[in-house]
Amino acid sequence: MAVTDDRVPAGSSPTGEAGYGPAALAAAEGLAPESSQLGDVWRRFRHNRLALVGMGVVAVEVLAAALAPLITFSNPTTNNTTLGPTGPSLTHWFGTDLLGRDIYARVVYGARVSLKVGILALVIALVIGLVVGALAGFYGGVLDGLLMRITDVFLAFPYIVAAIVLIVVIGRGLNTVILVLGLLGWMPFARLFRSSILQIKELEYIEAARAVGCSDARIIVRHMLPNAIQPVVVYGTIFVGTAVLSEAALSFLGVGALEPTPAWGLMVAQGKSFMSTIPGMLFFPGAAIFLTVMAFVFMGDGLRDALDPKLR
Amino acid sequence: MTEPEPLLSVRDLRTHFHTDAGVVKAVDGVSFDVMPGEVFGIVGESGSGKSITAMSILGLVPMPPGRIESGEILWKGTDLLSATDADLRRIRGKEISMIFQDPMTSLNPVYTIGQQIAEIVRVHNDVSKQEARDRAIEMLELVGIPRPEQRANDYPHQFSGGMRQRAMIAMAIACDPDLLIADEPTTALDVTIQAQILEVLQHASEETNSSIILITHDLGVVAGMADRVAVMYAGQIVETGAIDEIFYEPRMPYTWGLLESIPRLDQRRGGRRLQPISGSPPSMLRPPSGCRFHPRCPYSDGDRCVSDEPSLIELRFDRQARCHYALQPGWYSPGERLAVAEVEWDVLIVAATDRSAAPDVDLPDDLAAREQVPETLADALTASQKPGRRRSRKS
Amino acid sequence: MSIEAAPTDATATTGPLPVEGMPGRGPDAILEVHGLTRHFAVTKGAILRRRVGTVRAVDGVTFAVQRGQTFGLVGESGCGKSTTARLILKLLRATSGEVMFEGRDVLPLDKGATRAMRADMQIVFQDPYASLNPRMTVRQIIAEPLVIRGVRRDDARAKVLELLQLCGLAKEHGDRYPHEFSGGQRQRVGVARALALDPKLVILDEPVSALDVSIQAQIVNLLEDLQDRLGLTYVFIAHDLSVVRHISDKIAVMYLGHVVEVADRDDLYEHPRHPYTVALLSAVPIPDPRKERARERIILQGDPPSPVNPPPACRFHTRCWKAQEICRNVPPPLAEQEPGHWVACHFPEERSVL
């Protein structure tokens, strides 16, 4: 359900005995909602431990990325070839890599890279997805058919292979990765948004907006978007996590970020040769990827439950 | 003549819901009896607790968040609230069955209508598959479904709304229950279909000799169906009595308000406006102090009504009203006052024109000034005596 | 199966009723609806769409509404009354017909002119929960018609205050969201929005049917007050015949896309002539036990037929106790049988059932 409303249709229970869930029940008995919508969302979110942990991890990461120069002690791209790869020490908490660069600094700065990729890729995917979904859902008919077939075609691409081919065509680099992740990631947004729009389109307040003379653009932006955005918010959160993972994978495969960018995927790729001797080279960036992805996924799950308690 | 035993006896039932926002006292001290063979109406608006009362009887209240805090539900003498699950299952569907407002959500979409009725029969009776199916078809025929042998093989979505409700009734009476609980059985239906369903319901209860608890917000439906009525407001019963008593001699201002606020199909408007009840029903999280209706009651005294919760006052046998002033002489509804005023006025006119016909009537001084019988309600009200006290309108 | 707009199906065996004269005519018609028709094609198949039927939702609806009066439109679900409302307002495109508002056909108007027309004709919806955008404050909702027409912020603010007051809401209600209100209050917001542009005609689409009994009367009285104060004309659509009798001056009864009877309020209720009107009136329970016990009730057999490929000629013949051969073959014209009383029936007969 895309629309929060205190009046919920009575859902059928699995026993088939009665269509009375607690929510429907409260609605049937006309209980007015007592607190604000956002407050409700937060209250439900708070009850989900994993989601809270996820949010904490993301918050720490955002802080680390923002304050990177203040909390690291060496430049992440300054070579120290005399030092070479070392394990954790007092001066280099996570050790140093092949070129003697401080892994701790690189992991912290790596958060900047990952978040940048995740968020910019999200923006690209979101914009394409919302436009396609809105047009398809709002106008329907032939346009809908066409846009949805295009979406299907995009969904049919094998993701990593398509990404690699595109990157090779466009040229390597972090910006290419962002573009490609966005171009290959908008389809679920389009589908989600379209289905929300289709539901909302039937509601009377859209008709009411039309009856007072709103233009199509205003109806979509002012009336549909804010009400259709919930599932998109949930998926968007998870999308950031998967984009981080995809970037790491591409960088690991050597088609993503370029040296000396402190990208976690690159660092893992380098560290895999030292897995037995200096495990920290693999472990720290690997853990960063793992934590980030899990954090966003947990947060997305928590958001979904909090935004729509009926789906659980 | 011995007093017949009630079939169902609900005593001081309290069903509360423990929500994040607080305790919702959806049903708060409800008591009533249902006698064999009668149609007992429960009338109320949404939020009055009428549906939760019904669900409590059958143990269908979701717990949590719901909880039955106290009370007794005596079914032929045994308390359903302390019955075992096995006992409850035996009673539910066989002795007491329920008809819901929306049959689509209470019929299982993946089984045929016939299968669903037959299954209920088989659960509660030791019969063969074929016997159960025959019984299902017999029931479908009884509720007026044409070509029942074939329609039994249809799935719920192949039935129209009215047909589904008929199927629900067929299912409900398949095990020959003693009590049918119909929760807004016709609210989702069009009026011509409603008339059919009400007739089917009446017919079904006569065939199976069962009592009905009819839950509805529609005063017209109770007027045509019920023998006795309970009016519910804010989780409590505020008035009970025989159907005619509730409609013609109501003693609780909420009932007055309900009766005055609905437009009448059968009456010319004659320049009248509707008389709405002001405000809205209270939140059951924080019901008002004193009489729960006092914030909306035009007759509230601003004192006792606000501070003391009135109990259900016994007016006579089987007739109660929850109002401090229910026993006060002249505590009449506006409609009744109008009728009384008209009679009084007629007497005055007779007395004025023919003193010998009514020698002991005191003629008011201004009688000559008043030229004719009052025509409008407002005029009649001015002419009639006010109930008990002066109206204390809160601005 | 899917349903979409379709041109009139020429091969159909069923069609609109012929109309003689203009039902509801009078000296000062603000709205005249002429042969209004909307068909939906029912198709099967995702790619190769086969047409399997036509929903004749509204089929040749004709009536006139007098300025300052309330015109009631009653019927059961699927009779086309709400579709008619949407066709008049151009929220749905009509298949054919005319909607004359103050003497001008609004159906062929272009986008800009339609927008201008919408200032004069407004609608209040049935469901006060679904008709208000949950993400907008009440002030934003009421001000929207003004804002999109470029009314200055201060002026819009002042107008919203005036409207809130007019509709019995408090000033501070403006900053709240719809979910903080009860159904009755929400409906007041819906009314305020409809009045923001000072319309001449307001279509009320089941404005009280979603509300509790005690609240319905509040909204009905509000609507009546507003009509008196602002000189509004109403088209009141409802399935509740008691409310319609209370509020309307003239009433049209619809059945399966056809108007079957039009008459003055009391004339219609006291002297119904179309068998469907008779059955409908007799089916409504009256909150008066003695009267209920004494009443005879006409119980119609079966369900209303599906509006997909409805019965030919008189659409009521499948459930009518008086149906003859002619009812199945010849559509009965909607004709003025008594002054001001139009009936579409081959065998009309006055019958009081109240």
Side-chain angles (χ1 to χ4, degrees):
Chain A
M1 283 272 293
V3 187
T4 42
D5 196 328
D6 55 66
R7 213 194 48 147
V8 192
S12 55
S13 68
T15 56
E17 227 161 12
Y20 290 101
L25 207 154
E29 293 296 306
L31 309 174
E34 297 285 327
S35 49
S36 74
Q37 292 172 336
L38 260 184
D40 280 352
V41 170
W42 171 240
R43 201 159 33 75
R44 287 191 295 261
F45 189 83
R46 227 176 36 196
H47 287 306
N48 187 334
R49 283 243 176 87
L50 278 180
L52 272 186
V53 169
M55 196 169 77
V57 171
V58 170
V60 166
E61 225 165 272
V62 170
L63 272 179
L67 305 175
L70 300 178
I71 56 169
T72 56
F73 318 105
S74 48
N75 191 313
T77 53
T78 308
N79 296 355
N80 186 351
T81 32
T82 52
L83 192 60
T86 61
S89 64
L90 273 179
T91 41
H92 300 288
W93 295 352
F94 292 0
T96 54
D97 69 1
L98 204 55
L99 299 175
R101 294 173 299 198
D102 181 53
I103 293 179
Y104 168 66
R106 286 181 69 76
V107 167
V108 171
Y109 276 90
R112 281 188 171 184
V113 175
S114 290
L115 289 179
K116 178 179 158 194
V117 170
I119 288 164
L120 290 183
L122 171 70
V123 169
I124 295 172
L126 200 60
V127 168
I128 303 176
L130 290 195
V131 170
V132 171
L135 291 178
F138 188 78
Y139 290 104
V142 180
L143 186 66
D144 182 28
L146 188 75
L147 288 173
M148 282 301 107
R149 292 303 83 75
I150 295 176
T151 310
D152 291 345
V153 169
F154 268 84
L155 274 172
F157 287 153
Y159 186 66
I160 287 287
V161 178
I164 293 173
V165 170
L166 268 174
I167 288 168
V168 169
V169 172
I170 304 173
R172 284 180 58 188
L174 203 58
N175 290 339
T176 314
V177 171
I178 292 170
L179 186 68
V180 165
L181 290 183
L183 284 179
L184 293 176
W186 57 268
M187 297 80 73
F189 289 107
R191 288 189 151 189
L192 277 175
F193 199 57
R194 172 178 171 273
S195 67
S196 299
I197 294 264
L198 284 180
Q199 275 178 22
I200 292 170
K201 201 161 82 165
E202 301 302 319
L203 293 177
E204 279 182 346
Y205 64 81
I206 299 303
E207 249 187 331
R210 190 166 288 131
V212 300
C214 290
S215 63
D216 288 357
R218 187 180 169 89
I219 288 174
I220 293 177
V221 173
R222 194 84 178 82
H223 294 276
M224 288 181 162
L225 201 79
N227 289 295
I229 209 73
Q230 271 186 13
V232 175
V233 167
V234 172
Y235 183 73
T237 312
I238 297 170
F239 180 87
V240 174
T242 53
V244 167
L245 188 64
S246 305
E247 181 270 329
L250 290 170
S251 298
F252 178 84
L253 293 172
V255 290
L258 298 168
E259 283 287 0
T261 313
W264 293 337
L266 276 178
M267 295 158 75
V268 171
Q270 200 187 67
K272 72 174 191 295
S273 331
F274 298 87
M275 206 150 69
S276 48
T277 50
I278 309 173
M281 274 177 75
L282 181 74
F283 174 77
F284 292 110
I289 295 170
F290 176 77
L291 280 178
T292 309
V293 175
M294 291 312 279
F296 277 104
V297 170
F298 286 155
M299 221 168 93
D301 270 355
L303 267 179
R304 171 167 46 226
D305 294 348
L307 286 172
D308 197 347
K310 287 149 261 158
L311 274 183
R312 238 173 317 186
Chain B
M1 208 172 87
T2 52
E3 199 50 40
E5 284 290 302
L7 198 57
L8 176 79
S9 187
V10 175
R11 288 281 154 264
D12 195 35
L13 178 69
R14 289 173 203 273
T15 308
H16 296 177
F17 290 84
H18 297 262
T19 68
D20 292 341
V23 180
V24 176
K25 298 179 178 171
V27 177
D28 209 16
V30 162
S31 306
F32 61 88
D33 291 333
V34 179
M35 301 311 240
E38 77 169 343
V39 178
F40 184 72
I42 302 182
V43 199
E45 298 179 278
S46 55
S48 61
K50 56 192 194 302
S51 290
I52 306 293
T53 302
M55 288 163 70
S56 304
I57 295 171
L58 283 181
L60 294 177
V61 176
M63 304 191 203
R67 216 169 95 190
I68 293 182
E69 305 288 339
S70 67
E72 279 181 332
I73 298 174
L74 298 171
W75 174 249
K76 298 177 178 169
T78 48
D79 188 2
L80 292 184
L81 291 180
S82 53
T84 62
D85 280 358
D87 283 342
L88 261 185
R89 268 200 302 278
R90 188 178 45 75
I91 292 169
R92 206 191 290 162
K94 169 140 177 81
E95 297 184 17
I96 309 178
S97 52
M98 186 138 181
I99 298 161
F100 295 99
Q101 172 177 347
D102 182 0
M104 200 56 201
T105 57
S106 20
L107 289 169
N108 191 330
V110 301
Y111 293 105
T112 66
I113 298 284
Q115 282 170 337
Q116 296 187 50
I117 301 176
E119 174 170 349
I120 296 230
V121 175
R122 274 168 62 79
V123 164
H124 293 291
N125 301 285
D126 183 24
V127 291
S128 74
K129 267 198 157 144
Q130 189 53 46
E131 282 168 311
R133 189 181 152 78
D134 291 347
R135 175 81 180 162
I137 289 166
E138 186 191 329
M139 288 300 113
L140 287 175
E141 189 163 14
L142 189 113
V143 296
I145 287 180
R147 294 179 292 111
E149 300 83 9
Q150 286 131 56
R151 297 308 302 260
N153 297 326
D154 282 355
Y155 290 90
H157 73 265
Q158 291 168 292
F159 273 43
S160 69
M163 285 293 167
R164 279 200 287 267
Q165 199 56 290
R166 285 174 194 258
M168 269 301 289
I169 296 175
M171 199 185 285
I173 59 170
C175 293
D176 207 355
D178 298 313
L179 176 66
L180 283 169
I181 301 179
D183 185 0
E184 301 269 10
T186 57
T187 304
L189 304 173
D190 275 322
V191 60
T192 56
I193 307 297
Q194 164 172 292
Q196 296 174 354
I197 296 299
L198 291 178
E199 196 188 51
V200 166
L201 193 58
Q202 217 148 23
H203 179 60
S205 84
E206 279 158 19
E207 283 291 306
T208 57
N209 214 353
S210 56
S211 307
I212 299 180
I213 297 181
L214 178 69
I215 295 166
T216 179
H217 68 278
D218 189 327
L219 289 165
V221 171
V222 258
M225 291 279 291
D227 301 311
R228 287 191 308 130
V229 185
V231 181
M232 281 191 76
Y233 183 78
Q236 299 178 325
I237 287 179
V238 295
E239 182 153 12
T240 60
I243 181 81
D244 284 15
E245 292 172 325
I246 295 290
F247 277 81
Y248 304 122
E249 302 160 25
R251 290 292 172 267
M252 160 77 193
Y254 174 64
T255 318
W256 302 353
L258 278 185
L259 291 169
E260 296 289 320
S261 65
I262 43 174
R264 286 282 293 262
L265 182 79
D266 55 333
Q267 285 170 5
R268 288 196 174 208
R269 169 174 188 169
R272 253 173 307 133
R273 279 165 66 85
L274 297 177
Q275 302 295 320
I277 303 176
S278 64
S280 357
S283 154
M284 294 312 290
L285 279 168
R286 284 177 288 278
S289 64
C291 172
R292 293 186 179 181
F293 185 58
H294 88 258
R296 304 176 75 191
C297 182
Y299 306 98
S300 163
D301 61 6
D303 177 23
R304 235 173 116 200
C305 297
V306 179
S307 54
D308 298 352
E309 183 167 339
S311 52
L312 263 180
I313 294 174
E314 192 94 26
L315 303 175
R316 62 183 86 110
F317 175 70
D318 226 12
R319 172 88 179 96
Q320 299 162 311
R322 193 182 291 276
C323 177
H324 289 309
Y325 295 96
L327 284 171
Q328 185 157 310
W331 188 245
Y332 294 157
S333 73
E336 246 178 306
R337 261 179 277 147
L338 175 66
V340 169
E342 273 169 0
V343 170
E344 283 176 356
W345 191 241
D346 284 347
V347 170
L348 282 182
I349 295 292
V350 168
T353 45
D354 182 6
R355 288 300 293 169
S356 61
D360 51 344
V361 173
D362 294 329
L363 291 178
D365 301 336
D366 63 338
L367 187 65
R370 304 194 227 167
E371 289 200 340
Q372 51 188 344
V373 178
E375 271 184 7
T376 67
L377 176 70
D379 294 345
L381 286 182
T382 4
S384 79
Q385 62 183 86
K386 293 273 177 2
R389 303 149 291 118
R390 195 152 291 146
R391 258 164 97 117
S392 64
R393 254 215 183 279
K394 293 171 298 297
S395 57
Chain C
M1 241 167 49
S2 68
I3 294 178
E4 61 185 39
T8 315
D9 186 353
T11 63
T13 54
T14 174
L17 298 177
V19 182
E20 293 168 8
M22 173 53 84
R25 77 179 141 64
D28 186 16
I30 187 170
L31 179 76
E32 283 188 359
V33 176
H34 230 311
L36 195 60
T37 299
R38 167 72 183 200
H39 295 168
F40 301 90
V42 183
T43 57
K44 246 183 180 166
I47 299 157
L48 292 173
R49 295 208 168 148
R50 276 180 306 121
R51 184 164 177 166
V52 294
T54 306
V55 181
R56 300 177 158 267
V58 173
D59 217 1
V61 164
T62 302
F63 60 82
V65 179
Q66 303 302 311
R67 196 180 297 276
Q69 289 202 341
T70 300
F71 188 84
L73 206 52
V74 294
E76 298 179 281
S77 50
C79 73
K81 56 192 192 297
S82 286
T83 309
T84 303
R86 282 156 178 76
L87 292 175
I88 294 173
L89 287 165
K90 296 182 71 179
L91 293 172
L92 273 177
R93 190 167 301 143
T95 307
S96 65
E98 278 176 355
V99 174
M100 308 290 287
F101 180 72
E102 299 196 311
R104 183 171 65 147
D105 189 0
V106 300
L107 293 184
L109 295 181
D110 64 14
K111 259 194 170 170
T114 300
R115 226 172 112 142
M117 162 212 102
R118 291 210 164 125
D120 288 333
M121 271 200 258
Q122 272 300 318
I123 179 165
V124 174
F125 292 93
Q126 167 177 8
D127 186 342
Y129 294 86
S131 62
L132 305 177
N133 186 337
R135 307 274 163 190
M136 288 166 80
T137 63
V138 163
R139 184 187 310 283
Q140 289 169 327
I141 289 170
I142 300 175
E144 183 163 47
L146 303 165
V147 170
I148 56 173
R149 282 173 174 76
V151 173
R152 282 191 24 240
R153 192 176 260 272
D154 289 352
D155 295 346
R157 235 188 139 72
K159 181 78 185 177
V160 170
L161 278 185
E162 186 195 321
L163 287 163
L164 283 173
Q165 205 181 21
L166 199 62
C167 295
L169 293 163
K171 193 175 145 189
E172 56 273 14
H173 286 150
D175 296 317
R176 301 208 195 140
Y177 286 90
H179 72 99
E180 298 173 61
F181 291 95
S182 65
Q185 287 171 314
R186 288 179 195 220
Q187 203 54 303
R188 289 173 190 270
V189 175
V191 172
R193 168 177 58 193
L195 296 181
L197 297 170
D198 300 318
K200 295 172 183 163
L201 174 81
V202 182
I203 297 183
L204 305 159
D205 186 9
E206 306 255 12
V208 298
S209 25
L211 305 175
D212 266 325
V213 184
S214 72
I215 308 297
Q216 284 191 2
Q218 295 177 8
I219 299 297
V220 167
N221 284 355
L222 170 73
L223 292 170
E224 289 184 345
D225 288 344
L226 291 170
Q227 184 169 38
D228 288 348
R229 287 171 71 167
L230 307 172
L232 297 167
T233 306
Y234 287 151
V235 174
F236 191 96
I237 296 172
H239 65 268
D240 182 333
L241 286 112
S242 311
V243 176
V244 170
R245 176 169 196 179
H246 180 82
I247 201 168
S248 310
D249 297 299
K250 281 196 179 68
I251 295 162
V253 181
M254 285 186 74
Y255 184 77
L256 278 182
H258 285 165
V259 172
V260 296
E261 185 159 8
V262 182
D264 282 350
R265 163 179 57 200
D266 292 331
D267 191 18
L268 186 84
Y269 281 71
E270 288 162 14
H271 312 288
R273 291 168 153 259
H274 195 285
Y276 176 63
T277 314
V278 171
L280 198 59
L281 288 172
S282 92
V284 180
I286 295 174
D288 187 332
R290 286 177 197 141
K291 221 163 188 168
E292 274 294 290
R293 285 192 285 267
R295 261 173 107 195
E296 64 155 345
R297 187 152 278 157
I298 301 164
I299 306 251
L300 289 179
Q301 294 308 302
D303 296 314
S306 156
V308 185
N309 305 334
C314 175
R315 290 187 181 168
F316 187 58
H317 78 247
T318 55
R319 298 170 83 197
C320 184
W321 61 96
K322 292 166 147 186
Q324 306 283 324
E325 199 52 35
I326 185 174
C327 304
R328 290 180 264 275
N329 299 318
V330 183
L334 181 61
E336 191 169 9
Q337 301 197 344
E338 293 270 314
H341 198 137
W342 275 262
V343 188
C345 179
H346 291 300
F347 305 101
E349 179 190 9
E350 198 181 305
R351 182 162 171 190
S352 186
V353 283
L354 295 183

